[in-house]
């Protein structure tokens, strides 16, 4: 058995692993999968990974799926960690790397979470999967559900990039467009799920999307010869990737794979939707809902995240920070990555570039430090953001 039990991230109540669960029934907070890492450490060494296939399933001992036949595989994970050489040149640094998540199935890092969560839904017998999505998570859920032969019900804001709506429909998902942000979509899933027999796949409201996302942390370690970077800059909406990486670092230390040194975790958000940045600056552990959220980086338009305290705790424990950039800056960052590095980044990924520049100016990052930027998705899904109908941006 891979997962020993699920544990509430807040009140620490334990739940049995081999059943479908959403949030903690006591306190409503996210459940996290806990493994018997002491036992796993005995047979899973770093050397075991040599020769394994280049996908996130190379870490299968610390993933929840127990039967190989339940793995819903489309080629997820093991994306390139590429030196951003032009950016190094222009910022007078030596070690800026981009983790290019556009290489995943459905062209975003959301594939990681959905690959593992849909595999677990299949293993535990769910048939109808529902999720709110800012765009890319919906596309990933639709594809993995199609592959698994399960039904997907996706709720998206009406102004979600068209590519995301079309990919969901192409994959046979039932798409409902909602007049409002992802929080309204989440409320709609919560309201309808019981009557319809849907399993709620909202991020951090089911325990396994974060397990898929945590493989980002395992990969960065393995691709960096098991020394973590000094700084990670992460475009944050629901924050699942950041929370997942932080969990991965803890697990890898327990496995004896890395030492206790952690990267400073940096949250970057859009000025038009920056609830985590506001909470960080105000010294709070809980983020207030961000009113009238608006940004072209649709994945960052998350006015309220259920994992807010998990994100803020990780950022603070790591000695990191949180920073907001304008839409103009993040689009310009994405253009710069495309033009000078050949990395066609989503606007969300583009946000890492102005964030890095400002943190260097502020002295929060040193020029000799090793920095990993996350490109979380593909520019090509955001044609209207880069070139609005009726004229170039
Ligand atoms: C391209 C892209 N980047 C970043 C995010 C934010 O991810 P997270 O919810 O893990 O913070 C999203 C979420 O929709 C996204 O689609
Ligand atoms: Zn609880």
């Amino acid at each position: 058995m891979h997962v020993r039990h699920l544990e509430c991230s807040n009140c620490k109540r334990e739940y049995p692993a081999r059943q479908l669960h959403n949030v903690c029934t006591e306190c409503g907070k996210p459940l996290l999968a806990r493994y018997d890492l002491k036992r796993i450490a005995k047979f899973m060494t770093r050397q075991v990974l040599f020769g394994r296939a280049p996908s996130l399933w190379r870490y299968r001992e610390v993933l929840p799926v127990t039967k190989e036949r339940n793995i819903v595989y489309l080629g997820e994970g093991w994306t390139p960690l590429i030196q951003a050489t032009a950016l190094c040149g222009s910022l007078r640094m030596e070690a800026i790397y981009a983790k290019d998540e556009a290489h995943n199935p459905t062209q975003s890092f959301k594939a990681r979470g959905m690959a593992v969560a849909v595999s677990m839904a299949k293993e535990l017998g769910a048939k109808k999967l529902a999720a709110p999505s800012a765009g890319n998570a919906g596309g990933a859920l639709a594809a993995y559900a199609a592959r698994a032969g399960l039904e997907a019900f996706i709720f998206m804001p009406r102004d979600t990039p068209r590519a995301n709506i079309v990919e969901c429909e192409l994959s046979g998902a039932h798409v409902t467009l909602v007049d409002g942000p992802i929080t309204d979509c989440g409320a709609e899933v919560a309201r309808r799920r019981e009557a319809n027999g849907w399993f709620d796949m909202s991020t951090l409201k089911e325990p396994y999307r974060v397990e898929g996302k945590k493989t980002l942390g395992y990969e960065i370690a393995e691709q960096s010869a098991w020394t973590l970077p000094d700084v990670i800059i992460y475009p944050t909406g629901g924050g699942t990737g950041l929370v997942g990486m932080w969990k991965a670092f803890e697990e890898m230390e327990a496995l004896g794979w890395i030492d206790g040194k952690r990267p400073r975790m940096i949250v970057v958000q859009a000025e038009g939707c920056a609830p985590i940045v506001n909470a960080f600056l105000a010294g709070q552990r809980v983020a207030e809902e961000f009113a009238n959220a608006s940004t072209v980086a649709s994945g960052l338009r998350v006015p309220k995240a259920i994992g807010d305290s998990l994100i803020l705790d990780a950022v603070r424990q790591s000695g990191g920070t949180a920073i907001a950039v304008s839409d103009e800056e993040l689009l310009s960052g994405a253009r710069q990555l495309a033009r000078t590095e050949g990395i066609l980044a989503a606007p969300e990924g583009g946000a890492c570039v102005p964030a890095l520049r400002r943190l260097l100016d502020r002295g929060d990052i040193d020029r000799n430090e090793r920095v990993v930027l996350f490109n979380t998705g593909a520019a090509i899904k955001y044609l209207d953001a880069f070139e609005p109908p009726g004229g170039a941006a």
Side-chain angles (χ1 to χ4, degrees):
M1 267 235 305
H2 293 225
V3 179
R4 200 175 46 187
H5 61 267
L6 299 171
E7 181 190 75
C8 174
S9 57
N10 177 49
C11 74
K12 308 297 171 199
R13 188 178 158 174
E14 293 184 7
Y15 294 82
R18 307 300 303 157
Q19 302 168 359
L20 289 168
H21 291 283
N22 286 113
V23 291
C24 176
T25 50
E26 290 292 310
C27 75
K29 291 295 176 189
L31 302 180
L32 298 174
R34 298 297 180 204
Y35 301 78
D36 188 348
L37 295 169
K38 269 210 189 97
R39 192 179 63 83
I40 294 173
K42 291 197 186 119
F43 56 87
M44 197 195 181
T45 61
R46 299 183 323 196
Q47 286 70 27
V48 167
L49 300 169
F50 288 137
R52 283 197 178 174
S55 89
L56 61 76
W57 299 103
R58 62 198 283 105
Y59 309 111
R60 56 184 173 260
E61 287 88 345
V62 284
L63 290 172
V65 182
T66 60
K67 295 192 182 71
E68 203 168 328
R69 65 166 188 273
N70 291 323
I71 290 179
V72 186
Y73 178 67
L74 287 170
E76 52 280 355
W78 203 254
T79 57
L81 184 65
I82 308 167
Q83 190 173 14
T85 41
L87 201 54
C88 285
S90 70
L91 295 176
R92 289 176 288 116
M93 292 179 69
E94 277 175 16
I96 307 170
Y97 293 85
K99 181 73 171 155
D100 193 359
E101 287 290 294
H103 289 253
N104 279 300
T106 71
Q107 299 170 48
S108 89
F109 74 148
K110 296 284 173 182
R112 292 181 187 267
M114 287 302 183
V116 174
V118 172
S119 298
M120 281 310 287
K122 182 179 165 193
E123 185 157 287
L124 300 178
K127 299 279 182 255
K128 299 180 176 193
L129 313 180
S133 170
N136 287 312
L141 172 58
Y144 283 95
R147 179 100 179 143
L150 303 176
E151 246 182 309
F153 298 83
I154 295 164
F155 291 74
M156 300 168 128
R158 194 170 296 284
D159 54 357
T160 297
R162 232 173 86 70
N164 293 129
I165 299 171
V166 172
E167 66 177 333
C168 290
E169 285 170 346
L170 274 175
S171 305
H174 307 274
V175 178
T176 306
L177 300 178
V178 174
D179 291 310
I182 188 171
T183 33
D184 293 356
C185 301
E188 202 55 23
V189 171
R191 196 171 64 76
R192 294 210 217 159
R193 63 173 196 168
E194 213 161 289
N196 290 288
W198 297 341
F199 182 64
D200 189 343
M201 298 281 280
S202 304
T203 199
L204 293 171
K205 289 191 191 167
E206 78 70 62
Y208 300 118
R209 282 175 66 180
V210 67
E211 291 302 292
K213 288 264 189 88
K214 85 179 178 190
T215 58
L216 287 168
Y218 280 88
E219 277 180 32
I220 285 181
E222 191 177 358
Q223 291 173 321
S224 313
W226 307 105
T227 50
L228 296 176
D230 300 301
V231 176
I232 285 179
I233 306 186
Y234 182 80
T236 305
T240 311
L242 189 146
V243 170
M245 280 189 275
W246 197 245
K247 182 173 190 282
F249 299 154
E250 199 180 293
E251 290 177 359
M252 282 189 286
E253 190 178 353
L255 290 168
W257 291 9
I258 59 168
D259 61 20
K261 182 183 169 284
R262 297 285 184 274
R264 304 202 294 290
M265 306 299 281
I266 310 246
V267 157
V268 53
Q269 296 195 300
E271 283 174 0
C273 184
I276 302 295
V277 177
N278 287 350
F280 180 82
L281 296 176
Q284 292 160 349
R285 237 192 119 224
V286 175
E288 278 166 39
E289 182 156 348
F290 196 95
N292 304 318
S294 158
T295 166
V296 292
S298 43
L300 304 186
R301 198 171 38 154
V302 181
K304 174 89 189 141
I306 184 175
D308 53 357
S309 304
L310 294 172
I311 305 168
L312 287 157
D313 287 354
V315 170
R316 289 196 174 108
Q317 280 169 31
S318 76
T321 188
I323 185 166
V325 300
S326 69
D327 275 13
E328 198 182 323
E329 286 175 302
L330 59 86
L331 284 174
S332 151
R335 286 181 197 284
Q336 184 177 345
L337 287 175
R339 202 173 49 243
T340 65
E341 311 280 0
I343 297 171
L344 277 92
E348 293 84 346
C352 296
V353 176
L356 170 58
R357 202 175 293 124
R358 271 210 239 157
L359 293 167
L360 279 170
D361 288 347
R362 266 170 32 181
D364 283 348
I365 296 178
D366 286 336
R367 293 203 137 71
N368 60 5
E369 289 192 296
R370 183 152 55 94
V371 178
V372 171
L373 312 178
F374 269 90
N375 175 37
T376 43
I380 208 74
K381 285 196 180 174
Y382 299 77
L383 295 180
D384 288 351
F386 289 108
E387 204 158 310

